[in-house]
Amino acid sequence: MSPASAPYLSIVLTGRNDNYGGDFNERLFRALAFNTAKLADQGIHHEVVFVEWAPVPRQPYLSDLLTTAFPELARTSLVCYIVDRCYQDVLSLNPKIQYLEFFAKNVGIRRAMGRFVLSTNTDVFLGQSIVETLAGGRLETGTVYRAPRFDLKLGIDQSHITWDVLDDERNHVRRSTLTPPLYSGATGDFVLLDRESFHDVRGFNEVYRLARLGVDYNFLIKAYGSGLRIADIGGPVYHIDHIGSYRLSKAIYRDRLAEAPWGDRRWHSSVASYNNPEGWGLAAAREVEIGPRRFRIDFDWSAVPPLVELRRVVLAVRRVGRADIKA
Amino acid sequence: MPSIKSALTRALALFGLAPAGSVRSLFERAEKAEARAGEFKSQVVELRSETQRHKARAEELQQQLKSALADVERHRARASEVTSAIEKWRAKGEQIRGKVAGTAQTVQVAQEHLMATETKLDLLEAAINLLDRRTRTDVPVPPPAPSEAGQES
């Protein structure tokens, strides 16, 4: 892809056809339709990079279902990567974690072609302010943009989602606020950064593979220590609560944190930073083109980092002129 | 008649005499003057005594002033000592504050290293457990031995 034809924005999503949360596919399709329509309305040149990580055996690929549901998108701006499930088996250090979400996102981030890359989740709706900011072309490089998340109530009618519905406070059950210097809080739902800076910090943590909770926060620690600015983009994203989400399920594992499906949240994500290897995002893996804008990432031991690389666990740094981060 | 009276008065004066009326007038005047002198004398005595009292009071006040000035000097000297002591303790306090800050920094760094080490240990433990799980399938497990009849459990 030439620089001239490169999109302004890449949206990186990950998922698979496993009915996560009860209606995963529906939530993905609804949010994707909404977001891409709003971006197209504003003339924002974008691509959607969908990483299907460790697909469920004997289930249709979610990439195929997406292609069928969004033929126009599939023709122009949807890129799919199907990652062999062996990677999940050999990379995870915690048998409770069945989906290495941030490894999957790194696969997409590494291959995204947009000038700016948004790593988000499949059930997140972009707010009006965000779309307008993107349309204004006012994003700056070297800045991690964050957005607060507003949760909409579980069971809400999702058949006619509009910004009026999303903005109505009566539909909200929770509205997070972001505070400097890290602007953390539901971080994984919105991390927007220019492609070059994402590559510079080498994406999300691939060294600590015992938990997926806290890896997004850990990215902010890495970014902050690397000298990147972190800023609130100026408007929220919206998330519709679902069964199995961390917020609704965390009480179940209150007394057995180590058994949670997202890993033990008590790991030192505010102190233990990381240096991903050069081959982050399974860069060395063999990609096989299986259709227009569809690729299969086959298993390749050469793309798999060592089980443990202790030297890549590093202390977060402080910088002159930057507020301290409390552990 | 003033000229005859004055001529007679001059004639008497030649003999050291004066008219009785004049003498009486003079005596009255003298008595008055004496009375007045007596009054003045009393006043002088009183004033002299008052002056003495004021003088004594002034001396007393002077003594008090002297004593007060001496007190001020003593307090000034003491204040100077206290100020010096305060400065000394302030410097010591600053020194201790610096040491505490340094110690706190050392403690924080040590805590961070401890947390990083714990993270590494988590990774090692997880990796060992993973390898343990993987290699268990490689270890052949012998079939259980048949139980003997009548053997106590």
Side-chain angles (χ1 to χ4, degrees), chain A residues 90 210 268 308 310 315 318, chain B residues 108 112 115 118 120 123 127:
Chain A
V90 303
L210 278 78
H268 303 306
V308 174
L310 298 183
L315 291 180
R318 281 144 178 96
Chain B
Q108 184 178 350
E112 288 178 2
M115 285 193 248
E118 283 181 345
K120 291 178 183 180
L123 286 168

Side-chain angles (χ1 to χ4, degrees), chain A residues 86-99:
Chain A
C86 284
Y87 285 110
Q88 168 69 29
D89 294 336
V90 303
L91 287 171
S92 176
L93 289 170
N94 183 348
K96 302 290 181 192
I97 297 178
Q98 293 298 308
Y99 198 93

Side-chain angles (χ1 to χ4, degrees), chain A residues 95-302:
Chain A
K96 302 290 181 192
I97 297 178
Q98 293 298 308
Y99 198 93
L100 286 168
E101 172 190 347
F102 292 98
F103 233 107
K105 284 177 173 174
N106 275 358
V107 169
I109 291 167
R110 183 94 197 218
R111 293 160 177 79
M113 298 306 296
R115 196 168 144 224
F116 289 89
V117 179
L118 168 61
S119 172
T120 182
N121 288 323
T122 51
D123 52 2
V124 167
F125 293 78
L126 300 177
Q128 191 168 3
S129 298
I130 293 173
V131 175
E132 285 171 358
T133 299
L134 291 169
R138 295 189 293 271
L139 298 180
E140 294 178 353
T141 58
T143 301
V144 177
Y145 289 96
R146 292 278 304 115
R149 186 178 95 177
F150 290 3
D151 286 309
L152 275 68
K153 50 196 176 192
L154 181 68
I156 194 172
D157 180 6
Q158 301 178 48
S159 58
H160 293 87
I161 294 288
T162 63
W163 273 328
D164 288 339
V165 171
L166 296 174
D167 286 336
D168 196 321
E169 293 181 6
R170 292 171 293 182
N171 296 323
H172 300 166
V173 290
R174 184 167 170 265
R175 287 189 290 275
S176 70
T177 53
L178 304 183
T179 53
L182 292 184
Y183 298 90
S184 63
T187 303
D189 284 323
F190 193 96
V191 175
L192 172 62
L193 179 61
D194 65 280
R195 182 174 178 276
E196 198 176 314
S197 296
F198 244 133
H199 280 246
D200 192 44
V201 297
R202 298 183 176 177
F204 294 99
N205 191 339
E206 293 185 356
V207 179
Y208 189 86
R209 305 195 292 269
L210 278 78
R212 64 177 182 85
L213 202 66
V215 175
D216 47 354
Y217 175 84
N218 194 233
F219 173 81
L220 296 179
I221 296 289
K222 171 74 176 179
Y224 193 70
S226 299
L228 294 175
R229 290 182 302 278
I230 305 180
D232 186 337
I233 197 168
V237 293
Y238 302 90
H239 170 262
I240 297 178
D241 264 346
H242 58 84
I243 297 163
S245 70
Y246 170 70
R247 199 180 76 79
L248 294 182
S249 307
K250 61 183 177 180
I252 299 171
Y253 296 95
R254 184 175 43 224
D255 299 325
R256 39 195 184 106
L257 294 172
E259 294 181 29
W262 43 76
D264 192 334
R265 63 182 169 82
R266 294 171 296 181
W267 74 281
H268 303 306
S269 55
S270 62
V271 172
S273 188
Y274 59 96
N275 281 336
N276 278 344
E278 205 177 315
W280 67 279
L282 300 180
R286 197 162 56 99
E287 291 177 21
V288 177
E289 191 166 356
I290 56 176
R293 312 168 71 82
R294 289 181 74 240
F295 302 87
R296 194 182 66 228
I297 296 184
D298 289 343
F299 183 76
D300 188 343
W301 275 112
S302 66

